[in-house]
């Protein structure tokens, strides 16, 4: 006796069509590309930060809850890897809505890239307004990451969960940015 398969359309949480996973080689290549995009954003952010962490930022009035500078590198490394894996999980699902979710992911990645030079490199040029510009960017980033989490979750629970530490860190970083804008 052959078991009947329930049509995908009637299942709870179903996107309305059967998802198809990509082949093994393309999956590895896609993961490498997502990791590469994260590494590129991290490297460009590092360039914008490098001359300023020991410059103006070293003497800036920082929030009392600000961690030591050495904490940021390892935290961001883990977050960028988790973000890339989350995006890859959504991409490989090929589920309905995955392109919209990945577009939101791309938007937050661009905002992430914009924040670092706005905060670190623009401050020596225009002063405190740079910190307020950076604050506007990081608030938009928090919203974009929240949207990404909401869109990733139904497609891949693991992907949505992988983005939550990043969202938490962005909210925390927003508090540091706000303090800097108010006190510098």
């Amino acid at each position: 006796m052959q078991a009947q398969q329930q049509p995908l359309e009637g299942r709870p949480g179903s996107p309305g069509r059967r998802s198809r996973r990509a082949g093994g080689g393309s999956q590895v290549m896609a993961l490498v590309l997502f990791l590469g995009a994260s590494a590129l954003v991290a490297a460009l952010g590092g360039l914008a930060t490098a001359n300023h962490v020991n410059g103006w930022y070293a003497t800036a009035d920082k929030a009392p809850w600000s961690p030591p500078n050495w904490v940021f590198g390892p935290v961001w490394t883990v977050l960028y890897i988790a973000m890339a894996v989350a995006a890859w999980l959504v991409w490989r699902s090929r589920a309905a809505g995955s392109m919209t979710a990945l577009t939101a992911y791309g938007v937050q990645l661009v905002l992430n890239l914009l924040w670092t030079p706005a905060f670190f490199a623009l401050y020596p040029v225009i002063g405190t307004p740079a910190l307020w510009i950076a604050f506007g960017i990081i608030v938009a980033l928090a919203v974009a990451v929240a949207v990404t989490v909401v869109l990733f979750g139904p497609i891949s629970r693991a992907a949505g969960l992988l983005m939550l530490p990043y969202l938490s860190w962005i909210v925390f970083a927003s508090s540091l940015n706000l303090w800097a804008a108010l006190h510098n």
Side-chain angles (χ1 to χ4, degrees), residues 4-172:
Q4 282 189 319
Q5 284 189 318
Q6 180 183 7
L8 186 61
E9 291 79 32
R11 294 183 192 168
S14 115
R17 67 180 173 95
R18 190 173 301 279
S19 67
R20 296 179 306 257
R21 297 195 187 261
S26 64
Q27 285 194 34
V28 170
M29 182 57 71
L31 178 57
V32 168
L33 288 172
F34 283 116
L35 288 167
S38 285
L40 179 63
V41 170
L44 292 173
L47 289 174
T49 305
N51 294 331
H52 304 289
V53 167
N54 295 320
W56 76 265
Y57 188 71
T59 59
D61 185 354
K62 295 178 209 61
W65 58 91
S66 185
N69 287 344
W70 66 265
V71 169
F72 291 92
V75 167
W76 275 111
T77 300
V78 170
L79 293 175
Y80 279 126
I81 291 168
M83 290 163 51
V85 171
W88 174 72
L89 288 171
V90 169
W91 171 84
R92 72 177 253 185
S93 77
R94 303 282 202 250
S98 61
M99 288 312 297
T100 301
L102 290 172
T103 300
Y105 177 83
V107 168
Q108 69 78 28
L109 205 57
V110 169
L111 289 167
N112 180 309
L113 178 61
L114 292 174
W115 180 84
T116 307
F119 185 87
F120 286 102
L122 198 55
Y123 181 82
V125 178
I126 65 171
T128 302
L131 303 177
W132 286 107
I133 292 167
F135 184 68
I137 293 169
I138 204 166
V139 168
L141 173 58
V143 170
V145 174
V147 167
T148 303
V149 168
V150 167
L151 293 174
F152 275 19
I155 296 168
S156 166
R157 181 179 173 97
L161 291 173
L162 281 169
M163 293 293 288
L164 288 177
Y166 175 44
L167 178 57
S168 299
W169 186 258
I170 294 301
V171 170
F172 174 71

